[in-house]
DNA sequence: TAACGTCAATAAATCGATTTACAACAGAAT
DNA sequence: ATTCTGTTGTAAATCGATTTATTGACGTTA
């Protein structure tokens, strides 16, 4: 276990001052060719790697950001994280991943931990399901008060007052939802039903609003008994589909692909043909769509891009120290496949 | 944007020395009740949060570890990461996630970055596909030389000499594979075929060896033309399945669940009944199994536990500074469902 | 009362970088 | 030769905590 070299060792070995080495490393000011050469060989020979901790202490910047999300196993969040990582790595930032398990108390602890670590920014992904409006954003405001950048990706604001200073990237959920309805109606479907996520989940509501709005344009509506809550869970969605069938719909809109597949399974088990008798539309256009039989029509949401843009917004905030905020709304689009 | 309080502010505000505050925070030595009280109120009033960067510089320990993995979107890796995060959070460690994209050069850069950040340990998950044996573990040895803990999770050693000092947690891939064969044979299956991942992928080989070993015990074997490479890809697996059908197998073993579903789709498209004509077995026992129709038999691998144990091993290494290494092999087991 | 031991509090050094203020030295202009 | 400019190098301060060595207060014992 060899001792790691530090900057003063390099300076001594190269016969120059520490400041010279530091300037060389950061390129802030020029150094003479000869000096540069000696420093370079010294760094090479001693295998010097700058100590980022010491650097952070002095510069008050860590080149690291925190990512807070409900869980990594949700493919949507995983894809968003990938996009973020890609953009951040391009600029040499690294990312600390904290999991809030959909629990606001845990999220508060994550934020406190991040405050101690002096990250340069924080990205919140997704919306904690277990939601108490009153306890929400005290810690988020505290975060903002320290002046570090905050970005929401695929997350709505519970409290509008917190919006100040927070940039966000979200999907235009209603848009793709409307497209799907128009497609189905022009294909002759008339009796619509829907399986949504959680009633109080903002994105679930947006999707639903999109469906309803487009239906109204065609003088149609979701009849009573044609709306169920699937809680984003496979088994619950299966049961929800069974209930919906009593209303004899000819098209079922489902808030994500996983539940849509559960729905198709329920239909199959009842010998109901897809798309013959009933069309099924998922949401997210994930890899699951291709796997299903018949292949699942869905609404595409570019998760990677969501993350990439989120990373971009955060970097801008960090670099410009801007107090203002940007709001990006990425498009969604209907992707027809065999199930419709 | 209020200035954050630092330790010296607390000391001044409470009328004590910095050392007293530090001792109070770390509980290393006792402080008088009265002093303790004054410090506590000072911390409370000034909303003090210790600066982890300064602390790290002084103590030479960051309470953070690096996680290096090919990508987050693979459900196996995501589940492993979740297990790691859980165990690390229990001890107050946080995790930096670096993605190597299956590229050893990128992985080297990840490691260099981690060296600069002075993480207390590094966990490598999974095996980089693009593999050049000669260039492999220079940087891993460098990592070991600095004395920080290294743990492999679900990753084999390319170079046995590097094994010294590295702890590892892996699945006993062959075991579950053998179980599956025994089950199928006792169910009357005789003509076996397999779709593996990549030929040179260590885990793929382990699974295959398990299959072959168990087949030999029954005086059976994988006939020529009954082995295809699916590259862990849906479409390739679909084509691989089509080819295999020429050999008229009555059971197909597939190296992961995704490819197994592709295989079932290929069978369905040829009007071959599962499990009537052919049994299909996946690997991983992921959420996909329940989604498939018929539900997919698979071999369970406890990914979360893999990660949790990996975190545990790393923590032990960090705390004891042990040079020795532990090797954990977790069991896998066959889970029969409708497809067999 | 002097001497001693205990215990809590303090002042100052330290971790490894960056950065400020200043010195040294070169070459150009006077 | 002297002064001025502009460049490059240096010493020392700094970031915010921990930790060592030391002091000081207090109680006990001889």
């Amino acid at each position: 276990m060899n001792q790691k070299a530090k900057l003063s060792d390099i300076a001594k070995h190269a016969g120059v001052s520490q400041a010279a080495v530091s300037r060389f490393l950061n390129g802030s000011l020029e150094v003479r060719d000869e000096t540069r050469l000696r420093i370079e060989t010294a760094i090479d020979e001693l295998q010097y790697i700058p100590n980022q901790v010491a650097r952070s202490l002095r510069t008050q910047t860590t080149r690291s950001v925190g990512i807070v999300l409900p869980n990594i196993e949700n493919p949507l969040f995983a894809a968003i994280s990938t996009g973020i990582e890609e953009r951040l790595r391009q600029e040499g930032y690294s990312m600390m991943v904290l999991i809030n398990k959909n629990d606001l108390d845990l999220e508060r602890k994550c934020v406190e931990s991040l405050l101690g670590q002096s990250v340069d920014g924080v990205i919140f992904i997704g919306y904690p399901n277990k939601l108490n409006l009153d306890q929400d954003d005290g810690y988020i405001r505290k975060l903002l008060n320290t002046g570090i950048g905050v970005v929401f990706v695929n997350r709505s604001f519970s409290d509008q007052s917190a919006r100040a200073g927070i940039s966000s990237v979200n999907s235009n959920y209603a848009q793709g939802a409307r497209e799907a309805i128009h497609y189905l109606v022009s294909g002759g479907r008339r009796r619509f039903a829907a399986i949504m996520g959680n009633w109080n989940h903002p994105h679930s509501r947006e999707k639903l609003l999109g469906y309803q709005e487009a239906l109204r344009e065609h003088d149609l509506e979701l009849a009573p008994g044609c709306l169920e809550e699937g809680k984003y869970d496979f088994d619950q969605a299966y049961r929800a589909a069974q209930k919906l069938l009593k209303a004899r719909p000819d098209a079922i809109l489902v808030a994500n692909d996983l539940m849509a597949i559960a729905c198709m399974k329920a239909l199959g088990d009842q010998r109901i043909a897809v798309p013959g008798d009933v069309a099924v539309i998922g949401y997210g256009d994930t890899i699951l769509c291709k796997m299903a039989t018949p292949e699942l029509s869905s609404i595409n949401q570019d998760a990677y891009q969501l993350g990439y843009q989120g990373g971009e917004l955060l970097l801008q905030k960090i670099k410009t120290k801007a107090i203002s905020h940007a709001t990006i709304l990425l498009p969604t689009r209907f992707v027809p496949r065999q199930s419709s």
Side-chain angles (χ1 to χ4, degrees), chain A residues 114-133:
Chain A
L114 287 172
L115 277 172
Q117 315 237 13
S118 337
V119 292
D120 295 344
V122 180
I123 298 182
F124 292 88
I125 306 179
Y127 204 73
N129 283 332
K130 298 167 198 157
L131 176 62
N132 289 334
L133 276 172

Side-chain angles (χ1 to χ4, degrees), chain A residues 30-48:
Chain A
E30 286 303 302
V31 289
R32 217 168 24 187
D33 267 8
E34 188 234 345
T35 318
R36 183 173 54 68
L37 220 68
R38 291 166 63 185
I39 295 178
E40 272 173 349
T41 63
I43 288 181
D44 215 48
E45 285 175 17
L46 276 62
Q47 300 204 44
Y48 171 67

Side-chain angles (χ1 to χ4, degrees), chain A residues 13-318:
Chain A
H13 196 265
V16 300
S17 76
Q18 296 191 28
V21 181
S22 176
R23 281 206 303 256
F24 164 78
L25 287 172
N26 301 290
S28 60
L29 280 174
E30 286 303 302
V31 289
R32 217 168 24 187
D33 267 8
E34 188 234 345
T35 318
R36 183 173 54 68
L37 220 68
R38 291 166 63 185
I39 295 178
E40 272 173 349
T41 63
I43 288 181
D44 215 48
E45 285 175 17
L46 276 62
Q47 300 204 44
Y48 171 67
I49 297 178
N51 183 324
Q52 182 62 41
V53 174
R55 184 178 278 176
S56 294
L57 177 59
R58 181 62 235 242
T59 60
Q60 302 290 49
T61 167
T62 54
R63 297 187 81 76
S64 73
V65 313
I67 310 294
V68 181
L69 74 177
N71 70 74
I72 332 180
E73 307 189 58
N74 182 324
L76 174 63
F77 298 151
I80 292 174
S81 304
T82 303
I84 294 175
E85 203 269 353
E86 181 80 25
R87 185 66 190 95
L88 291 182
R89 190 166 33 74
Q90 290 168 353
E91 306 289 324
Y93 281 73
S94 41
M95 104 190 172
M96 319 232 38
V97 174
L98 314 213
I99 299 177
N100 66 25
K101 291 184 175 180
N102 273 320
D103 178 341
L104 277 181
D105 275 334
L106 198 45
E107 181 167 285
R108 182 199 325 283
K109 290 205 187 102
C110 294
V111 168
E112 270 161 22
S113 152
L114 287 172
L115 277 172
Q117 315 237 13
S118 337
V119 292
D120 295 344
V122 180
I123 298 182
F124 292 88
I125 306 179
Y127 204 73
N129 283 332
K130 298 167 198 157
L131 176 62
N132 289 334
L133 276 172
D134 53 347
Q135 63 171 127
D136 191 2
D137 54 29
Y139 56 92
I140 292 195
R141 199 157 319 162
K142 198 186 290 180
L143 202 54
L144 287 168
N145 282 342
T146 68
I148 84 177
V150 176
V151 171
F152 278 11
V153 174
N154 206 56
R155 171 163 175 156
S156 317
F157 300 91
S158 58
D159 178 355
Q160 290 299 324
S161 68
R163 173 165 274 178
I166 301 180
S167 289
S168 69
V169 188
N170 276 282
S171 290
N172 188 342
Y173 283 113
Q175 176 195 356
R178 280 193 299 265
E179 281 183 24
I181 295 289
H182 294 318
Y183 179 94
L184 290 171
V185 170
S186 67
R189 311 279 175 176
R190 289 295 180 272
R191 299 189 309 284
F192 290 84
I195 300 174
M196 304 315 293
N198 298 334
W199 295 138
N200 69 347
H201 190 281
H203 299 151
S204 201
R205 301 177 96 123
E206 283 182 41
K207 294 169 190 169
L208 184 57
L209 285 175
Y211 294 136
Q212 291 173 322
E213 203 177 289
L215 285 172
R216 256 195 305 280
E217 292 175 24
H218 295 286
D219 286 321
L220 293 167
E221 60 167 6
L222 283 173
C226 285
L227 186 55
E228 289 288 335
E229 187 180 26
K231 302 244 181 202
Y232 295 119
D233 176 81
F234 189 85
D235 295 324
Q236 296 219 36
Y238 185 94
R239 288 192 292 274
Q242 288 177 320
K243 282 195 212 162
L244 286 180
L245 287 178
K246 294 181 192 131
R248 304 226 146 263
D250 61 7
I252 304 182
L253 309 152
V254 193
N256 72 12
D257 290 336
L258 177 70
M259 294 195 295
I261 289 177
C263 176
M264 289 208 292
K265 193 177 186 83
L267 296 183
D269 290 349
Q270 307 264 346
R271 307 265 169 258
I272 297 175
V274 177
D277 303 325
V278 177
V280 175
I281 311 285
Y283 210 119
D285 191 23
T286 60
I287 185 165
L288 300 180
C289 297
K290 264 189 4 187
M291 289 175 27
T293 313
E295 291 185 7
L296 179 66
S297 301
S298 189
I299 295 158
N300 177 274
Q301 164 186 28
D302 191 340
Y304 176 88
Q305 198 55 223
L306 223 44
Y308 194 91
Q309 300 274 354
E312 175 64 28
L313 283 187
L314 185 60
L315 286 170
Q316 282 175 17
K317 278 217 161 188
I318 291 173

